[in-house]
Amino acid sequence: MRQIVLDTETTGLSAANGDRILEVGCVEIVDRRLTGNNKHFYINPERDSHEEALRVHGITSEFLADKPKFAEIADELFEYLAGTELIIHNAPFDVGFLDKELELMGRGPLRGIVANVIDSLALAKEIFPGKRNSLDALCDRLEVNNANRILHGALLDAELLADVYINMTRGQNSLGIEVEDKTDQASTLVVDDIDLSRLVLPVIQAGEQELAAHEAVLASLDKSSDGKTIWRRFDSAPETVS
């Protein structure tokens, strides 16, 4: 199955409150290899970015003024994504924005277009519980070079996430755990009998210093329990003759 690592940049944090997508970056993976068949769109969101969002991505309204609107790139984008498995960091955020754009065009949600969506943030939290799992943190942990990531950019972030995902799932082709069936091998396994009757195990006696150290530990335990240790009772009990 084709996998597409996807990232978006937006005018703000809330699609429900009118924020829009202004950049989409996609990186294709086939058989855990980057193919180079990537997609990248700048989009005129038809509104300004919030100041906080602008500080994150640095993409101005002036730069986007002559770029196509989302509806103009939608067919190309969703044909590219059709039937694939998407890998998205914090997937609910990006999927929510894509669903909103589809809704504005009178179309159904993204889940009806793609085969599956993997949230790489949720996956990272399972693999590295209790640790920071932002994209930058994962790049540092998995030795993915993110030196060029001064501002967020959809295509650059998708490229970084593709490397992170491949490294994070190294040696694993799916999220399931495959158990090898070794029934046949076990049924044919023959173990030779070993004669232990002639085996002589050496007995190493404790030396005087070791005995003294042991006795000191017992005395300390006996003192801390006010003389109630069981071994002292046995030591002081009279011997019985049967």
Side-chain angles (χ1 to χ4, degrees):
M1 177 182 292
R2 289 174 64 229
Q3 293 178 305
I4 302 295
V5 182
L6 182 144
D7 186 61
T8 66
E9 297 299 335
T10 63
T11 62
L13 299 178
S14 177
N17 291 332
D19 284 314
R20 303 286 300 274
I21 294 174
L22 54 80
E23 186 185 10
V24 178
C26 303
V27 173
E28 185 183 63
I29 300 175
V30 176
D31 295 331
R32 297 181 58 80
R33 296 179 182 273
L34 304 177
T35 67
N37 179 27
N38 303 335
K39 288 285 185 184
H40 180 228
F41 302 95
Y42 284 115
I43 300 160
N44 181 350
E46 304 178 81
R47 61 159 296 166
D48 293 334
S49 292
H50 295 284
E51 290 184 9
E52 295 82 0
L54 186 59
R55 281 196 293 268
V56 170
H57 55 65
I59 303 172
T60 66
S61 297
E62 291 76 17
F63 174 79
L64 298 170
D66 62 347
K67 301 302 185 286
K69 297 178 177 60
F70 192 93
E72 297 175 62
I73 61 95
D75 286 344
E76 182 180 353
L77 172 63
F78 292 121
E79 285 174 11
Y80 175 79
L81 298 181
T84 63
E85 183 172 68
L86 293 187
I87 301 164
I88 307 174
H89 209 61
N90 190 20
F93 178 86
D94 300 81
V95 170
F97 270 89
L98 289 166
D99 280 348
K100 187 63 177 180
E101 297 289 353
L102 284 162
E103 178 187 329
L104 292 172
M105 294 185 296
R107 297 170 64 169
L110 182 66
R111 295 279 184 173
I113 298 173
V114 301
N116 186 34
V117 177
I118 293 176
D119 185 352
S120 56
L121 176 57
L123 177 61
K125 288 179 178 179
E126 292 180 7
I127 298 174
F128 308 112
K131 296 185 178 181
R132 292 178 60 250
N133 289 299
S134 66
L135 182 56
D136 282 334
L138 290 171
C139 285
D140 291 342
R141 189 175 304 137
L142 298 170
E143 298 182 349
V144 174
N145 186 358
N146 64 342
N148 293 325
R149 194 185 189 228
I150 300 171
L151 293 173
H152 288 223
L155 183 59
L156 174 60
D157 287 359
E159 289 170 340
L160 292 173
L161 181 57
D163 286 337
V164 162
Y165 178 78
I166 290 171
N167 286 337
M168 191 164 56
T169 58
R170 182 172 293 155
Q172 175 179 323
N173 292 323
S174 69
L175 299 184
I177 299 175
E178 296 181 1
V179 179
E180 184 180 355
D181 183 3
K182 297 186 178 180
T183 305
D184 293 340
Q185 295 94 318
S187 63
T188 58
L189 183 64
V190 177
V191 179
D192 294 333
D193 292 335
I194 301 175
D195 183 7
L196 301 178
S197 61
R198 298 181 182 181
L199 182 64
V200 179
L201 297 176
V203 178
I204 302 175
Q205 301 289 346
E208 292 184 4
Q209 289 184 340
E210 292 170 317
L211 290 172
H214 178 66
E215 185 62 30
V217 172
L218 295 181
S220 175
L221 293 173
D222 186 54
K223 181 178 179 180
S224 63
S225 64
D226 295 327
K228 297 179 182 179
T229 50
I230 294 176
W231 54 82
R232 294 305 187 200
R233 294 185 211 170
F234 285 138
D235 288 345
S236 60
E239 294 184 1
T240 58
V241 179
S242 59

